[in-house]
Amino acid sequence: MSEMRKLGAAALIASTLLFGVSAGLASSWTGDRASPIYGVELPEGYRDWKLISVAQENGRNNDIRAIVGNDIAARAFRDGTRPFPDGAIIVRLAWRYESSARNDKVFPAPQSFVAGAPTNVQVSVKNTKRYAATGGWGYGQFEDGRPNPDRTLAQSCFACHQKLEALDPGTDMVFTAYSR
């Protein structure tokens, strides 16, 4: 083999390895930001989105929640548009539901409850082509700004939302109603 061919082969091998390592690092970096299965990421600026509703869940979760939406989701909620249009993103923020001893000192009886420690943020993204197998929705759950890597947890999102649609058709598998 000529010296030029050896150099060319070595360069090809080196560039292939470099590309492979770069692609691997890039995919692992994306994986650090995206939920398993659906690849949903925590949307930038979601804490400034429009409030859709609030909710409380007792029992095992014992949390209070704020449900916010991007402009597309907020408009669909206000107008009652179902199914939601592609591009709608709904974010549910949850905190421990805690009584407030400080606030109760002001009131005549214990009655004040507040948001305690954050538990998680759940994100639903509407894209009928990308998520055709799950009714057009992709899901992700995040703790401390990082996606929960549990694939079973990610799969359970669709399972619950699908049950809702069977129970109450026309909701487009969305639990929240717009609070006026």
Side-chain angles (χ1 to χ4, degrees):
M1 191 185 263
S2 76
E3 199 59 38
M4 285 301 277
R5 282 189 150 181
K6 286 180 184 177
L7 285 174
L12 179 61
I13 290 169
S15 64
T16 301
L17 286 173
L18 182 61
F19 176 75
V21 169
S22 298
L25 288 173
S27 69
S28 68
W29 183 77
T30 300
D32 287 344
R33 296 181 52 205
S35 68
I37 302 171
Y38 303 102
V40 168
E41 294 184 7
L42 202 54
E44 185 115 1
Y46 70 92
R47 292 292 300 252
D48 295 324
W49 288 1
K50 292 177 176 66
L51 180 67
I52 304 301
S53 190
V54 294
Q56 176 192 352
E57 210 170 288
N58 292 326
R60 189 176 58 132
N61 288 336
N62 191 37
D63 65 22
I64 57 176
R65 303 159 174 215
I67 297 87
V68 298
N70 67 357
D71 288 338
I72 297 168
R75 194 170 20 263
F77 271 111
R78 274 194 310 269
D79 297 344
T81 302
R82 302 297 180 277
F84 283 83
D86 279 0
I89 304 174
I90 303 167
V91 176
R92 196 266 302 148
L93 299 87
W95 301 268
R96 291 273 168 243
Y97 181 70
E98 296 179 353
S99 63
S100 173
R102 183 195 72 162
N103 292 359
D104 284 342
K105 289 178 184 175
V106 175
F107 302 117
Q111 65 189 39
S112 182
F113 292 85
V114 297
T119 59
N120 60 54
V121 175
Q122 294 178 345
V123 180
S124 300
V125 176
K126 184 68 179 239
N127 184 322
T128 52
K129 290 180 183 162
R130 182 173 182 189
Y131 306 118
T134 52
W137 289 99
Y139 304 97
Q141 179 166 306
F142 301 82
E143 288 104 22
D144 294 321
R146 299 188 61 100
N148 185 311
D150 185 350
R151 294 179 68 82
T152 303
L153 175 69
Q155 289 170 324
S156 72
C157 296
F158 174 61
C160 282
H161 286 265
Q162 189 176 31
K163 286 180 195 174
L164 173 67
E165 186 67 21
L167 178 69
D168 189 7
T171 61
D172 195 19
M173 297 188 289
V174 173
F175 282 92
T176 302
Y178 186 66
S179 295
R180 301 196 181 275

